[in-house]
Amino acid sequence: MHHERPIPRRDGGPGAGKTSLIAEFSRRGVHRVPGSGQAITREKMARGGDALPWADCMGFAERMMDYDLRDYSAA
């Protein structure tokens, strides 16, 4: 897949400002894709399930891969 512009990715430890930066980009109308880890954790905490990093590390990793591949294909 060829992109006209590079796709930036922001990583960093807790408290580094990733969420604040992404929120500001969204406020300015920049398209964003939410992080798979946070989305999966919120979903599993709300609906139940054990595919959480502290309960089922491999299941969580597999769901993150599925989520990220789906987002990449949709981008």
Side-chain angles (χ1 to χ4, degrees):
M1 178 182 282
H2 174 56
H3 295 282
E4 296 290 321
R5 297 182 295 162
I7 299 173
R9 179 180 170 94
R10 298 294 169 244
D11 292 314
K18 300 177 303 292
T19 301
S20 298
L21 181 64
I22 291 169
E24 181 61 19
F25 282 150
S26 291
R27 189 184 74 74
R28 294 180 184 206
V30 175
H31 175 73
R32 68 178 190 89
V33 176
S36 56
Q38 287 182 344
I40 293 166
T41 299
R42 277 194 303 271
E43 177 188 327
K44 295 301 174 189
M45 295 293 289
R47 295 183 184 175
D50 62 351
L52 294 161
W54 55 85
D56 179 5
C57 191
M58 184 58 77
F60 183 75
E62 289 170 353
R63 280 165 184 79
M64 282 184 66
M65 178 64 80
D66 291 341
Y67 192 101
D68 289 341
L69 287 172
R70 185 187 72 226
D71 283 346
Y72 181 78
S73 295

